[in-house]
Coordinates of all heavy atoms in Angstrom, one line a residue:
T27 N 126.2 66.7 106.8 CA 125.3 67.1 107.9 C 125.8 66.7 109.2 O 125.5 67.3 110.3 CB 123.9 66.4 107.7 OG1 124.0 65.0 107.6 CG2 123.2 66.9 106.4
A28 N 126.6 65.6 109.3 CA 127.3 65.2 110.5 C 128.2 66.3 111.0 O 128.3 66.6 112.2 CB 128.0 63.9 110.3
A29 N 129.0 66.9 110.0 CA 129.9 68.0 110.4 C 129.1 69.2 111.0 O 129.5 69.8 112.0 CB 130.7 68.4 109.2
V30 N 128.0 69.5 110.4 CA 127.2 70.6 110.9 C 126.7 70.3 112.3 O 126.7 71.2 113.2 CB 126.0 70.9 110.0 CG1 125.0 71.9 110.6 CG2 126.4 71.4 108.6
R31 N 126.3 69.1 112.6 CA 125.8 68.7 113.9 C 127.0 68.8 114.9 O 126.7 69.1 116.1 CB 125.3 67.3 113.9 CG 123.9 67.1 113.3 CD 123.3 65.8 113.6 NE 124.0 64.7 113.2 CZ 123.9 64.1 112.0 NH1 123.0 64.6 111.1 NH2 124.6 63.1 111.6
A32 N 128.2 68.7 114.4 CA 129.4 68.8 115.3 C 129.8 70.3 115.5 O 130.8 70.5 116.2 CB 130.5 67.9 114.8
G33 N 129.1 71.2 114.8 CA 129.5 72.6 115.0 C 130.4 73.1 113.9 O 130.7 74.3 113.9
L34 N 130.7 72.3 112.9 CA 131.5 72.8 111.7 C 130.5 73.2 110.6 O 129.3 73.1 110.7 CB 132.3 71.6 111.2 CG 133.5 71.1 112.0 CD1 133.1 70.3 113.2 CD2 134.5 70.3 111.1
R35 N 131.1 73.8 109.6 CA 130.4 74.0 108.3 C 130.5 72.8 107.5 O 131.6 72.2 107.4 CB 130.9 75.2 107.6 CG 130.7 76.5 108.4 CD 131.5 77.6 107.8 NE 131.3 78.9 108.5 CZ 132.0 80.0 108.2 NH1 133.0 80.0 107.3 NH2 131.8 81.1 108.9
G36 N 129.5 72.4 106.8 CA 129.5 71.2 105.9 C 129.2 71.5 104.5 O 128.4 72.3 104.2
V37 N 129.9 70.8 103.6 CA 129.7 70.9 102.2 C 129.6 69.4 101.6 O 130.4 68.6 101.9 CB 130.8 71.6 101.4 CG1 130.6 71.5 99.9 CG2 130.8 73.1 101.8
W38 N 128.5 69.2 100.9 CA 128.3 67.9 100.3 C 128.9 67.9 98.9 O 128.5 68.6 98.0 CB 126.8 67.5 100.3 CG 126.5 66.2 99.6 CD1 127.3 65.1 99.5 CD2 125.3 65.8 99.0 NE1 126.7 64.1 98.9 CE2 125.4 64.5 98.6 CE3 124.0 66.5 98.8 CZ2 124.4 63.8 98.0 CZ3 123.0 65.8 98.2 CH2 123.2 64.5 97.8
L39 N 129.9 67.0 98.7 CA 130.4 66.8 97.3 C 129.7 65.7 96.7 O 129.9 64.5 97.0 CB 131.9 66.4 97.5 CG 132.6 66.0 96.2 CD1 132.6 67.1 95.1 CD2 134.1 65.6 96.4
D40 N 128.8 66.0 95.8 CA 127.9 65.0 95.1 C 128.4 64.9 93.7 O 128.1 65.6 92.8 CB 126.5 65.5 95.1 CG 125.5 64.5 94.5 OD1 126.0 63.4 94.2 OD2 124.4 64.9 94.2
R41 N 129.2 63.8 93.4 CA 129.8 63.6 92.1 C 128.9 62.8 91.2 O 129.3 62.5 90.1 CB 131.1 62.9 92.3 CG 132.3 63.6 93.0 CD 133.5 62.8 92.9 NE 134.7 63.5 93.6 CZ 135.5 64.4 93.0 NH1 135.2 64.7 91.7 NH2 136.5 64.9 93.6
S42 N 127.7 62.5 91.6 CA 126.8 61.6 90.9 C 126.3 62.2 89.6 O 126.0 61.5 88.6 CB 125.6 61.2 91.7 OG 124.8 62.3 92.0
G43 N 126.2 63.6 89.5 CA 125.6 64.2 88.4 C 124.1 64.1 88.3 O 123.5 64.6 87.4
V44 N 123.5 63.5 89.4 CA 122.1 63.4 89.5 C 121.6 64.5 90.4 O 122.1 64.6 91.5 CB 121.7 62.0 90.0 CG1 120.2 61.9 90.1 CG2 122.3 60.9 89.0
P45 N 120.5 65.2 90.1 CA 119.9 66.1 91.1 C 119.7 65.5 92.4 O 119.2 64.4 92.5 CB 118.6 66.6 90.4 CG 118.8 66.3 88.9 CD 119.7 65.1 88.9
A46 N 119.9 66.3 93.5 CA 119.7 65.8 94.8 C 118.3 65.3 95.0 O 117.4 66.0 94.6 CB 120.1 66.9 95.8
P47 N 118.1 64.2 95.6 CA 116.8 63.6 95.8 C 115.9 64.4 96.8 O 114.7 64.2 96.8 CB 117.0 62.2 96.3 CG 118.4 62.3 97.0 CD 119.2 63.3 96.2
R48 N 116.5 65.2 97.6 CA 115.7 65.9 98.6 C 116.4 67.3 98.9 O 117.6 67.4 98.6 CB 115.6 65.1 99.9 CG 116.9 64.7 100.5 CD 116.7 63.8 101.6 NE 117.9 63.4 102.3 CZ 118.7 62.4 101.8 NH1 118.4 61.8 100.7 NH2 119.8 62.1 102.5
Q49 N 115.7 68.2 99.4 CA 116.3 69.4 99.8 C 117.3 69.2 100.9 O 117.2 68.4 101.8 CB 115.2 70.4 100.3 CG 114.3 70.8 99.3 CD 114.9 71.7 98.2 OE1 115.8 72.5 98.5 NE2 114.5 71.5 96.9
T50 N 118.4 69.9 100.9 CA 119.5 69.8 101.9 C 119.7 71.2 102.5 O 119.4 72.2 101.9 CB 120.8 69.3 101.3 OG1 121.3 70.3 100.4 CG2 120.6 68.0 100.5
D51 N 120.2 71.1 103.7 CA 120.5 72.4 104.4 C 122.0 72.7 104.3 O 122.4 73.7 105.0 CB 120.1 72.2 105.9 CG 118.6 72.1 106.1 OD1 117.9 72.6 105.3 OD2 118.2 71.3 107.0
V52 N 122.7 72.0 103.5 CA 124.1 72.3 103.3 C 124.4 72.6 101.9 O 123.7 72.2 101.0 CB 125.0 71.1 103.8 CG1 124.8 70.9 105.3 CG2 124.7 69.9 103.0
P53 N 125.5 73.4 101.6 CA 125.8 73.6 100.2 C 126.2 72.3 99.5 O 126.7 71.4 100.1 CB 127.0 74.6 100.3 CG 126.9 75.2 101.7 CD 126.3 74.1 102.5

């Protein structure tokens, strides 16, 4: 999300294997 705020595209690499705890606006 910090990258998105800076004008880039952002992707979250979530290696936890646990469903995201909240909705996100990034892939």
Side-chain angles (χ1 to χ4, degrees):
T27 58
V30 171
R31 287 196 298 272
L34 290 72
R35 298 167 176 173
V37 172
W38 179 24
L39 172 61
D40 180 12
R41 294 185 180 275
S42 69
V44 178
R48 57 187 180 277
Q49 293 294 321
T50 67
D51 295 327
V52 297

